[in-house]
Amino acid sequence: MRYADFVAVAAEIAKNPPRFGVDAQREAALYQLDALFSEANSETMHAVGRYYRECFDRTLDEIAAYKGKTPRIWKVYSSGFIIRDGKRIIGLDINNGCTPATGRTTVKLKRTQVRALANLLTEYYVTHSHEDHISAELCDDLAKQGKLIVMPAECIRRWMIKNGTPAENFATSGCRTFMKWQGTAEKGLDCAMYLFTLSNGKTVFSRGDIFHKEGFEECMEQIRNWQAHIDYALVSHYSTGGGTPPLETLDKEHKCRFIPSHEWEFTHRKFDLAGAGNTQSYAILYREFAKPYRAGRVQCLSWGESIELD
């Protein structure tokens, strides 16, 4: 694998920028990215690390320069998102890059990039304490600047986060929270559901990456109690416990737009294994989100890409 391969694929992706709607050419370009990431141990290759960091640098530059009146969202690694809404810049589930249980990785941010992100963000939210959803270094930098850090109390304790605000006790006009267990009755952890309200009145829903039937149903019941509507959902298709699949419930009750998350999370791919492993490729996302995608309500974002939340 060469860095030039990523340059070529990035050029193809750029020809078809993100939009909500069916786009066969864009699909084909993202499948080319799948092919590169599918190579065994790609997360250890210099080309992938360089591509990730350059995508992140572009993201930081674009967010800093963005003056649009319409809120905009950028995708970073795996489950990480950044929303710019005027002077409000929201970080969600951003970590430092791939965090493999074994082996090494080049898919990591530089320390200077973490500091630059901390300088940029005004708010940072974490859904749960898994290390692919949090950056303790980012929290340290944000705490030094007195910026808002919100996450479950269990997450604050586990990572010893200074000046963290427990999601259990947090609610503002711009973000409502609801806490519920993520997992089965035997195994899991505290997980926050966030419903952000933007300056244009649009709402953005996020609840981490894995939905268990009971936890998700209670989240949806809370949305109903709030008499709230979800305009955008940042979600994975993964679910356990039976019942109606979460995507089906969200699609039926809210007809929301979806921005899929948790793709190419190399943390969940075994070392020396080719392909997606226990994670999602872009091809899998297009397949799992097929119904709302055909209805024009899905867009898959690759590293550093963005789209307006109009």
Side-chain angles (χ1 to χ4, degrees), residues 76-80 92-100 108 124 126-135 158-159 182 189 208-210 262-268 278-279:
V76 289
Y77 179 68
S78 185
S79 297
L92 175 66
D93 277 0
I94 300 169
N95 74 339
N96 288 4
C98 179
T99 54
K108 286 283 190 179
Y124 178 54
V126 174
T127 57
H128 61 286
S129 63
H130 287 162
E131 60 186 339
D132 54 329
H133 289 259
I134 183 173
S135 167
R158 174 177 172 181
W159 292 98
Q182 173 178 282
L189 74 168
D209 49 22
I210 307 295
H262 216 270
E263 78 291 342
W264 286 109
E265 172 46 272
F266 298 110
T267 298
H268 300 294
N278 294 323
T279 184

Side-chain angles (χ1 to χ4, degrees), residues 144-164:
K144 289 176 184 176
Q145 300 183 44
K147 294 183 176 180
L148 181 63
I149 305 168
V150 181
M151 61 186 67
E154 180 270 339
C155 191
I156 292 173
R157 292 193 302 271
R158 174 177 172 181
W159 292 98
M160 296 186 290
I161 301 302
K162 297 178 181 178
N163 301 331

